[in-house]
Amino acid sequence: MADHTLVFIVLGLTLAAFVWGRFRYDLVALSALLACVILGLVPGEEAFYGFGHPAVITVAAVLVLSRGFERSGVVDVIAEQVLKVGDRLFLQLVALTATVVVLSGFMNNVGALALLLPVAMRLAREHNTSPSLLLMPLAFGSLLGGLMTLIGTPPNIIIASYRGSVTGETFGMFSFFPVGASVALAGLVFIVLLGWRLVPQRAGNASTEGMFDISHYLVEVRVDEEAKALGWTLRELQRELEETLPVLAVLRGKQRYAGHAFLGALKEGDILLVEAGPEEMKLLEDKAGLRVGIDPQEETLEQERAEAEESGQLQRDGSLPDAENGKEENKDKKEKKRGTSNGFDTEGLELVEAVVRNDSVMVNRTVTQLRLHNQYGMHLVAVARDGSRLRQRLRDIRFRPGDVLLLQGGESNLSESLTTLGCLPLAKRNFTLGQPRMLLVSIGIFALAIAAMLLDILPNAIALALAALVTLLVGVLPLRDGYQAIDGPVIILLGAMIPVGSALETSGGAALIANSLLELGGTWPTVSILILLFVTTMMLSDIINNAAAAVLMAPIAVSLANGFGASIDPFLMVVAVSASCAFLTPIGHQSNTLVMGPGGYRFGDYWRMGLPLELVVMAVAIPMILLVWPL
């Protein structure tokens, strides 16, 4: 069997696995690489050369620098200004989308989205705006912004490196800017004037209480003298129930303990504050003998009523004193006295809303498999998918990218646990301006790296890797955070797919595809082939990772250019732009997936704005490419 036929078989199976989504894309890519080695398509001694490729090093360095910007407070300064735009939806859209476009040009686009996503959610909540109207424009803006510079998105880095391997000269830092900026500006105008009107409006998802209906499921159970659970620890209670039921707090006399921090045995008179539905309540009664009491808020009100009656302060109509005079100060004091409210202000306890990233360790795993409480000190309180809360047992839920989780844990380790799990916090984000000295140092290091690239003092990968190293050495970013910033699955994907892409070229597969296209459109003008290449790459990036799409399409683009006897630059630019325009599906890019849960979107919602946006992008990109990079 011919080598190019074997390559087509491997690539066909790889694309099918990418679309299926059963296995993570880095595992699929690594399997494709090893298959090529076994079949003799990639020499064994060259199998892992891709991991030392300049494109891979550049992507890793950009991820570290992006985290450094976050750590030093560069982005938080910008985000704080965005929050001042007021309640006009148009201004919110302009501020959020324009900001993410600019940020994405100089840092990883997923990182830029991750930093502004909490800002968008806060705007939606403060001004009673449906988050669905803000989040899809934000995600699409992050993709558009990445088109402007070499480091804005992995496809640009891949295309620049591939040009270097073919011609000996790579694209520079701002080689993409004339085309990328024009496309980004046109896309931004379309989004803020018309595109957002095409997004389905999902109501009620902006608040945690609205999405998860917490108060309805907040119940109190008591440990009586005949309870089976008497003497059990909370871990033994969970084991007996065979259910990871969140115990949010344990009340013993006047003491209140956070559920995750309570390690002792249950005693008579203990009160457990539990987040449970009717089925779980029955389990607590039947298997543990715990008596389900009234809602904590209602019981507190009854206690206050009794105290008021004893002191003679109860009103004639039976209402409490501050119900009549409406003094907010008294209400605040009462709320603090209760210690149990929709806000869960239990000491040492914090609730956070977070979204599952594509590369999260939680994907396709259950809370039991993750050992969420034992290993991370967190309880899972609720899960929302497609904008509504899942009603099935928490232990049975297999997490998907884009799921919104309501998690409870200790304030001290909550942020670190979320980072380790691969979750992005959505609520209660506190903006920290960082240290002004480090803020300036971070900007200065990046500026020097850009200058070294522009003046051809250092190659792109070396300049950015050196900048990342200095960022770690001077303390802008701790070493541990630097390693966590590197997106392992993306690095594996690139390192594995680069040799596979080379096999497509060396086996003659790329030339065969190009020749077939040339025969099909032999009488067509060259611009028609560019449009066909643009559409093909764009469709491919809607179903597989955009970096993989760029790796596979780059050799085909060069073969087409050679077939026409034209410059390879416009063909490579077409691939660079179209590979980053995955607007039709939530699976084409991590940015799209991240907003799916918080925005309450469904799979079919993306094409409504995405399809006309892709047409706008193509209508602007093709003429600009031909103007800046003539045939």
Side-chain angles (χ1 to χ4, degrees):
M1 191 177 292
D3 284 353
H4 60 76
T5 303
L6 291 174
V7 169
F8 290 152
I9 292 173
V10 171
L11 287 178
L13 293 174
T14 302
L15 292 178
F18 279 140
V19 175
W20 184 27
R22 176 65 179 83
F23 302 102
R24 227 168 57 174
Y25 55 77
D26 52 334
L27 298 180
V28 173
L30 193 57
S31 300
L33 171 61
L34 296 178
C36 286
V37 173
I38 292 171
L39 294 172
L41 302 171
V42 174
E45 62 274 12
E46 299 178 8
F48 301 109
Y49 281 7
F51 292 96
H53 195 277
V56 177
I57 303 302
T58 303
V59 169
V62 169
L63 292 172
V64 173
L65 290 171
S66 296
R67 185 64 63 86
F69 288 151
E70 177 185 357
R71 181 84 177 190
S72 66
V74 172
V75 181
D76 286 341
V77 171
I78 300 170
E80 228 185 10
Q81 300 304 312
V82 173
L83 287 171
K84 300 177 181 179
V85 298
D87 57 0
R88 289 187 59 189
L89 180 59
F90 175 76
L91 294 180
Q92 292 174 11
L93 284 166
V94 171
L96 283 170
T97 311
T99 301
V100 81
V101 164
V102 174
L103 289 178
S104 296
F106 297 95
M107 62 185 296
N108 175 260
N109 45 22
V110 176
L113 174 70
L115 291 167
L116 287 176
L117 192 51
V119 180
M121 294 297 290
R122 183 169 164 185
L123 275 175
R125 290 171 181 175
E126 289 184 357
H127 302 292
N128 198 27
T129 303
S130 172
S132 64
L133 298 179
L134 299 177
L135 297 189
M136 191 178 293
L138 187 68
F140 288 177
S142 72
L143 302 188
L144 291 169
L147 299 172
M148 296 191 297
T149 65
L150 169 71
I151 63 175
T153 183
N156 287 4
I157 297 171
I158 292 166
I159 293 300
S161 296
Y162 188 77
R163 183 180 188 260
S165 67
V166 174
T167 67
E169 184 178 353
T170 66
F171 284 125
M173 176 67 180
F174 293 103
S175 298
F176 300 87
F177 188 79
V179 175
S182 300
V183 171
L185 181 60
L188 175 63
V189 172
F190 169 79
I191 288 172
V192 299
L193 294 182
L194 177 61
W196 69 271
R197 302 176 190 273
L198 306 176
V199 178
Q201 183 170 343
R202 310 291 186 202
N205 297 330
S207 67
T208 302
E209 291 79 8
M211 181 178 287
F212 293 113
D213 192 17
I214 299 170
S215 60
H216 182 69
Y217 290 88
L218 181 60
V219 295
E220 187 177 354
V221 293
R222 300 174 183 276
V223 182
D224 293 332
E225 60 179 356
E226 60 267 66
K228 299 177 186 176
L230 195 63
W232 292 359
T233 64
L234 293 185
R235 183 178 298 181
E236 289 171 338
L237 174 64
Q238 304 279 12
R239 188 183 306 124
E240 184 66 23
L241 295 176
E242 298 181 352
E243 172 66 73
T244 52
L245 197 68
V247 178
L248 303 181
V250 177
L251 284 66
R252 178 172 291 171
K254 295 183 179 180
Q255 296 295 319
R256 185 182 303 274
Y257 304 91
H260 72 279
F262 185 84
L263 302 177
L266 295 175
K267 296 181 179 180
E268 180 183 351
D270 285 352
I271 297 172
L272 277 61
L273 187 62
V274 182
E275 203 283 343
E279 188 177 356
E280 289 83 4
M281 292 182 213
K282 190 173 186 306
L283 277 176
L284 287 167
E285 290 184 333
D286 294 344
K287 291 194 173 185
L290 299 178
R291 184 169 62 85
V292 178
I294 64 173
D295 184 279
Q297 293 189 31
E298 294 177 357
E299 185 176 60
T300 305
L301 289 172
E302 289 299 323
Q303 292 173 349
E304 291 175 353
R305 193 181 303 279
E307 292 171 2
E309 187 174 5
E310 282 183 14
S311 61
Q313 295 179 348
L314 192 67
Q315 303 299 313
R316 291 183 179 180
D317 60 356
S319 61
L320 294 173
D322 57 353
E324 183 178 81
N325 58 35
K327 291 183 179 179
E328 291 298 325
E329 182 179 352
N330 287 341
K331 289 184 178 181
D332 290 340
K333 289 179 180 178
K334 295 290 185 182
E335 193 68 22
K336 289 179 182 178
K337 185 177 179 181
R338 285 183 203 129
T340 306
S341 69
N342 284 356
F344 295 97
D345 50 358
T346 307
E347 185 179 355
L349 187 70
E350 185 175 350
L351 276 181
V352 66
E353 192 179 353
V355 61
V356 178
R357 293 177 53 131
N358 299 56
D359 55 351
S360 170
V361 298
M362 304 183 75
V363 173
N364 290 325
R365 301 174 73 183
T366 65
V367 67
T368 306
Q369 292 171 331
L370 290 164
R371 300 179 66 201
L372 198 62
H373 179 257
N374 294 337
Q375 196 156 336
Y376 300 97
M378 292 197 299
H379 281 305
L380 177 68
V381 178
V383 181
R385 185 173 293 162
D386 298 336
S388 60
R389 175 175 174 159
L390 298 181
R391 301 296 177 183
Q392 66 193 94
R393 283 191 172 189
L394 294 176
R395 68 175 186 179
D396 295 332
I397 296 173
R398 286 191 177 273
F399 301 110
R400 299 179 187 172
D403 282 351
V404 179
L405 313 180
L406 193 60
L407 297 162
Q408 172 245 341
E411 296 177 5
S412 59
N413 64 349
L414 195 57
S415 177
E416 183 177 346
S417 296
L418 288 174
T419 301
T420 305
L421 286 167
C423 292
L424 173 67
L426 295 178
K428 299 182 181 179
R429 173 178 171 81
N430 296 318
F431 293 105
T432 56
L433 298 184
Q435 303 176 34
R437 182 177 65 85
M438 286 304 178
L439 189 151
L440 295 176
V441 168
S442 178
I443 296 175
I445 292 170
F446 183 68
L448 288 174
I450 298 302
M453 294 163 62
L454 292 176
L455 298 174
D456 289 330
I457 298 174
L458 292 172
N460 297 338
I462 300 299
L464 292 170
L466 182 59
L469 176 62
V470 174
T471 296
L472 296 172
L473 288 176
V474 301
V476 172
L477 186 68
L479 185 60
R480 182 177 180 179
D481 287 1
Y483 278 112
Q484 288 181 342
I486 298 174
D487 193 341
V490 170
I491 299 301
I492 296 293
L493 171 75
L494 289 176
M497 289 303 294
I498 285 172
V500 175
S502 297
L504 178 63
E505 184 176 10
T506 56
S507 67
L512 184 62
I513 294 174
N515 290 334
S516 299
L517 292 174
L518 289 172
E519 291 177 8
L520 177 65
T523 58
W524 299 353
T526 308
V527 67
S528 300
I529 298 297
L530 287 176
I531 293 173
L532 179 61
L533 180 65
F534 196 103
V535 171
T536 303
T537 308
M538 200 157 46
M539 291 176 62
L540 191 61
S541 70
D542 280 319
I543 58 175
I544 70 171
N545 183 278
N546 60 358
V551 168
L552 294 177
M553 295 303 295
I556 296 173
V558 170
S559 295
L560 279 171
N562 292 335
F564 276 104
S567 169
I568 66 171
D569 291 340
F571 288 83
L572 288 177
M573 277 291 169
V574 161
V575 172
V577 173
S578 55
S580 296
C581 294
F583 301 127
L584 296 186
T585 68
I587 62 174
H589 196 278
Q590 281 198 50
S591 292
N592 295 353
T593 308
L594 283 175
V595 300
M596 189 175 185
Y601 302 122
R602 302 187 181 98
F603 194 96
D605 289 341
Y606 287 78
W607 70 269
R608 300 188 185 192
M609 181 167 74
L611 182 59
L613 180 57
E614 287 192 349
L615 295 175
V616 169
V617 167
M618 187 166 62
V620 174
I622 296 294
M624 282 300 301
I625 288 172
L626 293 175
L627 177 64
V628 178
W629 305 97
L631 295 169

